[in-house]
Amino acid sequence: MTNSELFDVSVFFILFRETLEASIIISVLLAFLKQGVGSADEDLTIYRKLVRQVWFGALLGFSICLVLGGICVAAWYRLGKDVWSASEDIWEGVFCIMAGFIISYMGLAMLRLNKMKGKWRHKIADALAQTDGRNSISTFSSKYAMAILPFVTVLRESIEAIVFIGGVTLSASPKSVPLSVVAGILCGSALGYFIYQGGNHMRIQVFLIFSTCFLYLVAASLMSRGVWYFENYEWSQLVGDDVAEVGSGPGSYDIRRSVWHVNCCNPLFDGGWMIFNALFGWQNSATYGSVLMYNLYWIAVIIAVCVMLHKENPGYFPILFKYQMVASDEIDLTLTPSVAGSSARTSEESDLIVIDPSFSRYSDPNPYGMGSSSSHLLSPVDDNDIASGPSSATSLGTNRASLESIHDVDANSDPLGASVLASASY
Amino acid sequence: MRAFSLLATLAASATAALAATVQYDFSVDWVQANPDGDYDRTFIGINGEWPPPPIKCKIHDRVIVNVTNNLGNEPTALHFHGIFMNGTNAMDGPVGVTQCPVPPGSNIIYNFTVDQPGMYWYHSHFGGQYPDGLRAPFIVYDDDEPFAGQYDEDTYLTVSDYYHQSIPWLTANKFLTLINPTGAEPIPDAALFNDSQNIKFKVEPNKTYKIRIVNMGALVSQYIWFEDHDFKIVEVDGIYVEPTDASMIYITVAQRYTILLTTKNSTDKNYPMIASFDTDMMDTIPEDLVWNVTGWLTYDDNGDFPEPTLIDQYDFYDDFNLVPFEKEEPYEPDYSITVEVAMKNLGNGVNYAFFNDITYVAPKVPTLYTVMSSGNDSTDATIYGSNTHTYVLGYQEVVEIVLNNFDPGKHPFHLHGHTFQVIERSGASPDDATTLMYDPANPGTVNEYPMRRDTVYVRPNGYFVLRFKSDNPGVWFFHCHIEWHLAQGLALTLVEAPAEIQSNQAIPEDHYAACKAGGYAYEGNAAGNTVNLFDLKGEKLQPKPLPAGFTARGIVAMVFSCISAFVGMGCITWYGLSDLKTTEREVAEIIGEPLDDSDESK
């Protein structure tokens, strides 16, 4: 990618996304500890020990991934460069399109940050329930559950990041990797911390919307540029070395495919236009292929958003309703496991949700927060040592019982109640 | 080896005091040959032979060349390079200027008198044809030459670049195509001496040889030198010059130099003679290209033939300083034409060459034929078409051509029907970005008796100034003699004294017959319109210019891209805001699921 010499948007985004996910897990764990253990004065040492476990696990995972990542990136560049440079334009095109897909795949999920959070809470509880519930589990894993979970999580997220970065940045300048990596980690951790602190939910969401829009702009430009690179490759195969010789002028592009061409502002040579190209897909020489790709990409995004909205809220699009009834099982794009439940909802219920958007929730400073406001609801687990003791199994059992009621609340279209219960169910 | 053809006989037929008629019957046909030993290809030969035979005559002779086109698949035409054709403009030979192409199976007769001595050459002047083989020397002997008796042998030497592929194929697939946006000329595959290589030029000790040298190539100029042998330049392009000492010449395509070379006193050693490409004129130098050709001044057939010694630099004689034997001071111009040379791409993506933004496109009717069929309108340049770039010249005036070269390459320009004084020629510009332009108020070096010739080169981003007398009524082509550049349209047309052409000249019937046989228009204006000569509808024009920047479709594409991006981002925002509504419900659902369902990913 030719974002710039020193910064690569795709690398940044991947790191941002993976760090955010890791930091959400850590923050969920920490909140969990704070609420479950930290509030009891006598267990302060245990609490501190467990917090230390969490951080130790996370940092261990992080350091292992740093080493792994360094080795991988170095190996990529060492071994890969020769292979890629032979037909650079093709690889640039492939990587642009790959990066575009990765961003597209991750991007919308980011807007479901709260869902992600909920999911992780679910998973952690699940994991804890398993370790607590089975005596056959080795004492090691029981003892260090609070370290293993963040360790595994951080390691997993970072290996993911390495794989993605490896795929995305082969054609990028190696110089651009460190800065993007650091910036991505910092931003991801900052947002994670913000969430942990239970900042203004609306503001977080607005931030996420802005950044997602921006990232999709980048993705659209990557897709468009990918096609452009393929065409440019074909052109340079035809013309030979002269393409580089002619700069931005006549002959630097295939007149048969040109939509517009200005003899300046070439993003391959000019720094300012390079950034413009990275962000918005600017080309001084646009081709039919690249312009079509740009527009088709946005149309695909629009359709995807509509489909996802429809899945989440059947009835948003009455026209699509019939289709939804038939095809919902095949195109299950959402993370919701209970498709049957959601599609079984009647349109009346959905209308209710639309008509009553429950704006009151927005004024709630901490609707899903993990701060003290909801800690009192955690009393069933309050006095238990989470890492050990048979009693916790029962307490989680109680939890499970209380979860059953959520469906009932939800069915009554009382999102506020549900949200309180949801956030408090641990 | 064709070494023996080198030693042409001494200016023969010294007995013929009166002007004679020399007739050549040429059947133009395809011939297989392999001049560099690397590649067997078909050439355009004459009478089943390649290289074609030289035309030889004495001054004031009438020459009749009866050409039959037996190629079967290509038209042809012959031009007699440097011959003035005074009173016989129709015999000059450039297609589209003074004649129609001669279609396969047709016949045309060139009939003219030669009143100039020296070294010339003849070649096809149709569609880039001559580098495919149809070119040979044209030698005019003169008993009264100023250096008569100062030499023992009269011979000639040709140099040429050489392509393995045919010119039409290269033009269509490698050159005049949008995949060659820089207009890079195809690189020759080899250099030839006398259409061969490693020739043994037999010499005897202590003798003086008159060697007429011609560059019959398509693209590159060549440096020519004879190791350890200096020589005297005595004639260029048919103009005798004051004998001038030199050790190396620089000869562009179409130029001729006649030299007197005196051999050494002993036969101990054979000496290499070398012709070497001016590699600056090539876009790239392929690794496997041998860009010079070697022969030997052969004193001893059984001796060694040493490899040439490497030289540090090309120390050649600058032809600008040659002084004609018949001295004339610079003419005072009556009429001046200023042209700018540039290479640019047009709307079809192809790179063309321009004089003042006009790239030459041959008219439907050869310009001479338009002169002959236009009566009093012949003095109006309009009727000759928009893309023939025609200037109408008066009779017996001094015409000046100022040429400013905005291209970073060297170009050898040739004027048909004339020799011209080279008044000024600048050096090359130190960089491609600035062009040295002629400024009449601030002239450069002008020699007392300017050199005259018919082909002169301009240096990269430099200029030259030429002057000639319009004493030869006819339609004369002025063009770059690099065959590739002519194909790119680097040419203009001079219609000199059209009224005098109409009153004193005629186009022979067999020339018209060639037009009819090929279905070519032969009367009317450039568009073939005989009723209204000023109606040029249907004339041949250059392609449209490249679209500049944003055209309508560019703006539409840009607007649509912006709209789709904004709508897309709107959707994302909508989706993001709806998170607040949907999340809690889904969180509830997730939590409501059995806890062992834990392997789902994000």
Side-chain angles (χ1 to χ4, degrees):
Chain A
M1 247 125 305
T2 51
N3 287 339
S4 78
E5 272 292 293
L6 295 177
F7 195 79
D8 190 285
V9 175
S10 308
V11 175
F12 168 78
F13 178 53
I14 289 163
L15 261 296
F16 179 64
R17 171 67 167 73
E18 301 297 341
T19 314
L20 184 60
E21 192 149 340
S23 65
I24 283 174
I25 295 155
I26 293 169
S27 69
V28 168
L29 276 173
L30 290 177
F32 196 101
L33 288 176
K34 198 171 188 178
Q35 291 152 14
V37 189
S39 52
D41 294 342
E42 67 271 25
D43 286 335
L44 209 60
T45 40
I46 298 170
Y47 169 70
R48 283 189 183 143
K49 193 179 133 198
L50 291 176
V51 167
R52 237 178 287 137
Q53 267 194 30
V54 169
W55 283 115
F56 174 74
L59 289 175
L60 187 66
F62 184 68
S63 0
I64 289 176
C65 100
L66 269 190
V67 175
L68 272 180
I71 292 169
C72 282
V73 170
W76 272 124
Y77 279 112
R78 285 258 165 142
L79 303 175
K81 269 299 175 191
D82 293 337
V83 182
W84 318 131
S85 61
S87 46
E88 203 178 324
D89 277 342
I90 280 205
W91 288 111
E92 295 251 2
V94 168
F95 294 134
C96 279
I97 285 179
M98 258 171 66
F101 272 117
I102 290 170
I103 292 182
S104 312
Y105 172 71
M106 289 174 156
L108 284 176
M110 276 216 7
L111 287 176
R112 291 292 177 268
L113 183 68
N114 296 299
K115 195 192 292 176
M116 199 197 286
K117 229 160 70 181
K119 191 186 77 185
W120 275 108
R121 247 181 269 159
H122 167 81
K123 282 189 171 180
I124 289 165
D126 187 16
L128 288 173
Q130 281 181 15
T131 47
D132 291 344
R134 290 177 212 165
N135 291 323
S136 57
I137 294 289
S138 72
T139 46
F140 179 83
S141 66
S142 305
K143 208 173 172 187
Y144 298 106
M146 277 296 141
I148 290 167
L149 199 58
F151 170 73
V152 170
T153 310
V154 169
L155 202 58
R156 210 198 72 177
E157 299 301 327
S158 43
I159 286 171
E160 242 177 59
I162 290 166
V163 170
F164 280 146
I165 290 174
V168 163
T169 63
L170 267 174
S171 59
S173 152
K175 280 185 243 165
S176 72
V177 174
L179 186 64
S180 321
V181 166
V182 170
I185 290 175
L186 283 181
C187 291
S189 334
L191 189 64
Y193 181 72
F194 199 40
I195 290 165
Y196 172 73
Q197 287 296 304
N200 185 315
H201 186 74
M202 185 63 190
R203 233 183 278 159
I204 294 175
Q205 195 64 21
V206 167
F207 168 78
L208 284 174
I209 288 169
F210 265 105
S211 56
T212 308
C213 283
F214 170 74
L215 288 164
Y216 275 81
L217 274 178
V218 171
S221 84
L222 283 169
M223 294 299 230
S224 164
R225 197 144 23 109
V227 172
W228 188 89
Y229 272 117
F230 289 141
E231 295 190 322
N232 200 47
Y233 172 76
E234 213 181 323
W235 177 239
S236 62
Q237 285 299 101
L238 279 173
V239 175
D241 301 337
D242 286 350
V243 162
E245 194 183 309
V246 291
S248 312
S252 61
Y253 62 101
D254 187 346
I255 183 73
R256 295 169 300 184
R257 288 174 175 158
S258 176
V259 178
W260 72 70
H261 180 90
V262 285
N263 288 347
C264 70
C265 326
N266 188 329
L268 292 179
F269 308 125
D270 189 322
W273 295 103
M274 209 179 269
I275 293 166
F276 201 35
N277 168 270
L279 300 190
F280 305 113
W282 162 256
Q283 283 296 349
N284 69 318
S285 189
T287 60
Y288 284 107
S290 62
V291 168
L292 272 180
M293 187 71 204
Y294 192 82
N295 284 282
L296 287 177
Y297 175 79
W298 278 114
I299 289 168
V301 167
I302 291 164
I303 290 172
V305 166
C306 289
V307 167
M308 286 170 83
L309 274 173
H310 183 61
K311 295 286 278 188
E312 290 172 3
N313 286 296
Y316 253 40
F317 310 99
I319 302 159
L320 285 173
F321 185 67
K322 264 189 178 164
Y323 174 72
Q324 167 72 15
M325 292 299 281
V326 177
S328 61
D329 290 332
E330 283 93 56
I331 46 162
D332 181 16
L333 293 174
T334 67
L335 300 163
T336 317
S338 59
V339 177
S342 65
S343 58
R345 255 188 277 269
T346 67
S347 58
E348 283 162 58
E349 279 171 332
S350 313
D351 287 345
L352 271 176
I353 297 167
V354 178
I355 294 160
D356 173 25
S358 308
F359 277 111
S360 58
R361 278 173 296 142
Y362 296 164
S363 55
D364 184 341
N366 195 7
Y368 315 111
M370 302 159 197
S372 56
S373 71
S374 54
S375 64
H376 66 278
L377 283 164
L378 286 161
S379 51
V381 261
D382 252 358
D383 295 323
N384 292 314
D385 184 347
I386 291 161
S388 61
S391 61
S392 59
T394 22
S395 67
L396 280 166
T398 327
N399 254 358
R400 197 183 282 221
S402 74
L403 292 175
E404 299 301 325
S405 65
I406 294 168
H407 275 301
D408 301 331
V409 181
D410 187 34
N412 291 333
S413 289
D414 182 5
L416 183 58
S419 74
V420 173
L421 270 170
S423 61
S425 56
Y426 294 108
Chain B
M1 290 307 132
R2 248 177 300 277
F4 314 105
S5 66
L6 268 170
L7 290 172
T9 46
L10 185 69
S13 60
T15 50
L18 289 168
T21 297
V22 182
Q23 177 150 355
Y24 288 88
D25 291 309
F26 284 171
S27 162
V28 177
D29 44 22
W30 294 105
V31 179
Q32 206 75 16
N34 187 352
D36 65 350
D38 272 354
Y39 194 85
D40 212 29
R41 63 158 286 182
T42 47
F43 284 94
I44 301 176
I46 286 176
N47 301 335
E49 280 182 29
W50 192 88
I55 292 175
K56 294 175 182 176
C57 68
K58 290 187 72 175
I59 192 165
H60 308 306
D61 279 357
R62 173 163 296 275
V63 175
I64 298 171
V65 184
N66 179 10
V67 177
T68 306
N69 179 359
N70 288 321
L71 290 172
N73 54 357
E74 277 187 36
T76 193
L78 284 190
H79 163 60
F80 305 89
H81 186 113
I83 307 295
F84 292 151
M85 298 292 175
N86 201 326
T88 54
N89 185 208
M91 307 301 166
D92 193 40
V95 166
V97 182
T98 66
Q99 70 167 80
C100 300
V102 181
S106 279
N107 173 274
I108 193 170
I109 295 168
Y110 297 99
N111 182 343
F112 51 93
T113 54
V114 179
D115 295 314
Q116 5 166 197
M119 181 63 169
Y120 304 89
W121 62 305
Y122 70 92
H123 61 83
S124 164
H125 213 301
F126 169 74
Q129 203 171 51
Y130 84 75
D132 275 336
L134 189 48
R135 77 280 188 283
F138 187 128
I139 300 165
V140 185
Y141 298 103
D142 175 16
D143 295 337
D144 301 323
E145 60 192 334
F147 39 88
Q150 295 176 23
Y151 58 91
D152 305 290
E153 297 255 7
D154 185 347
T155 182
Y156 68 87
L157 178 67
T158 70
V159 293
S160 177
D161 49 29
Y162 162 58
Y163 293 88
H164 288 163
Q165 302 302 320
S166 84
I167 302 303
W169 185 86
L170 285 170
T171 305
N173 297 294
K174 298 286 177 189
F175 184 57
L176 281 188
T177 151
L178 85 169
I179 65 168
N180 183 27
T182 56
E185 303 83 4
I187 306 297
D189 295 296
L192 301 178
F193 255 148
N194 281 1
D195 289 325
S196 182
Q197 291 182 330
N198 302 316
I199 56 169
K200 289 168 184 167
F201 195 103
K202 280 189 191 163
V203 291
E204 289 173 32
N206 255 331
K207 280 197 168 176
T208 298
Y209 290 82
K210 175 176 167 184
I211 308 172
R212 306 162 184 262
I213 303 170
V214 58
N215 184 345
M216 306 192 302
L219 171 64
V220 289
S221 306
Q222 306 219 26
Y223 300 95
I224 298 173
W225 69 99
F226 304 81
E227 267 187 25
D228 287 339
H229 288 69
D230 288 349
F231 48 83
K232 286 186 198 311
I233 301 169
V234 292
E235 178 225 314
V236 287
D237 296 359
I239 300 292
Y240 294 132
V241 296
E242 292 290 343
T244 307
D245 291 324
S247 56
M248 179 188 287
I249 56 165
Y250 177 79
I251 183 166
T252 75
V253 292
Q255 285 186 331
R256 288 89 63 206
Y257 282 82
T258 299
I259 61 168
L260 298 182
L261 183 140
T262 303
T263 53
K264 303 219 176 269
N265 207 4
S266 79
T267 58
D268 294 349
K269 196 182 162 193
N270 296 323
Y271 292 86
M273 53 192 230
I274 302 105
S276 181
F277 284 0
D278 177 359
T279 52
D280 293 347
M281 297 176 77
M282 298 192 295
D283 189 58
T284 54
I285 304 176
E287 273 180 30
D288 56 348
L289 173 67
V290 180
W291 37 269
N292 43 40
V293 60
T294 308
W296 287 273
L297 293 175
T298 307
Y299 288 83
D300 176 9
D301 277 335
N302 302 317
D304 284 342
F305 292 93
E307 286 298 303
T309 316
L310 290 177
I311 55 170
D312 296 333
Q313 59 176 7
Y314 297 111
D315 189 14
F316 64 93
Y317 187 82
D318 184 353
D319 62 333
F320 182 74
N321 295 322
L322 291 170
V323 179
F325 189 76
E326 276 180 41
K327 294 178 181 50
E328 286 178 305
E329 289 180 357
Y331 310 139
E332 281 307 310
D334 301 308
Y335 180 74
S336 184
I337 296 167
T338 302
V339 285
E340 289 176 1
V341 174
M343 309 293 225
K344 279 181 268 186
N345 296 62
L346 289 179
N348 56 2
V350 175
N351 189 269
Y352 290 91
F354 297 83
F355 274 135
N356 295 350
D357 290 330
I358 300 172
T359 180
Y360 180 85
V361 180
K364 283 185 176 168
V365 176
T367 305
L368 175 65
Y369 291 51
T370 298
V371 172
M372 301 308 272
S373 57
S374 59
N376 291 335
D377 292 331
S378 64
T379 51
D380 192 322
T382 316
I383 65 168
Y384 303 111
S386 320
N387 262 111
T388 57
H389 202 169
T390 300
Y391 296 86
V392 175
L393 307 179
Y395 190 39
Q396 298 292 11
E397 290 180 341
V398 171
V399 180
E400 177 182 72
I401 296 177
V402 175
L403 185 144
N404 296 309
N405 178 17
F406 282 76
D407 182 71
K410 290 173 194 155
H411 298 276
F413 285 97
H414 170 50
L415 175 60
H416 289 216
H418 295 273
T419 54
F420 41 72
Q421 291 182 331
V422 183
I423 301 294
E424 275 195 47
R425 178 167 66 190
S426 76
S429 169
D431 63 290
D432 293 355
T434 50
T435 292
L436 306 173
M437 289 177 63
Y438 175 61
D439 178 6
N442 191 13
T445 313
V446 181
N447 287 339
E448 189 182 4
Y449 303 112
M451 186 252 315
R452 296 196 300 276
R453 61 188 316 169
D454 64 34
T455 306
V456 68
Y457 69 92
V458 65
R459 294 195 176 93
N461 294 95
Y463 69 85
F464 64 51
V465 179
L466 317 175
R467 285 176 199 161
F468 63 94
K469 285 183 180 155
S470 59
D471 53 4
N472 186 8
V475 179
W476 307 114
F477 218 21
F478 176 74
H479 65 96
C480 177
H481 215 291
I482 290 175
E483 197 64 351
W484 304 113
H485 295 171
L486 182 54
Q488 281 177 293
L490 195 47
L492 57 79
T493 312
L494 301 176
V495 175
E496 182 173 328
E500 282 72 15
I501 306 173
Q502 287 173 348
S503 55
N504 297 322
Q505 299 188 31
I507 297 167
E509 267 316 305
D510 61 306
H511 287 226
Y512 281 118
C515 296
K516 289 169 190 162
Y520 306 108
Y522 53 87
E523 55 183 352
N525 64 13
N529 194 333
T530 51
V531 182
N532 179 2
L533 292 174
F534 294 93
D535 175 13
L536 288 164
K537 195 158 170 268
E539 67 170 330
K540 292 202 264 175
L541 293 170
Q542 67 190 47
K544 290 197 163 25
L546 272 180
F550 282 92
T551 53
R553 66 180 166 181
I555 291 165
V556 168
M558 188 56 121
V559 166
F560 266 93
S561 298
C562 290
I563 289 174
S564 58
F566 276 108
V567 171
M569 286 191 290
C571 276
I572 290 168
T573 308
W574 184 19
Y575 182 72
L577 288 175
S578 77
D579 182 46
L580 301 170
K581 287 173 225 146
T582 57
T583 304
E584 63 271 4
R585 194 183 63 234
E586 288 187 4
V587 165
E589 280 166 4
I590 291 163
I591 291 163
E593 283 302 299
L595 286 172
D596 54 7
D597 176 28
S598 58
D599 58 349
E600 62 169 307
S601 61
K602 55 186 180 293

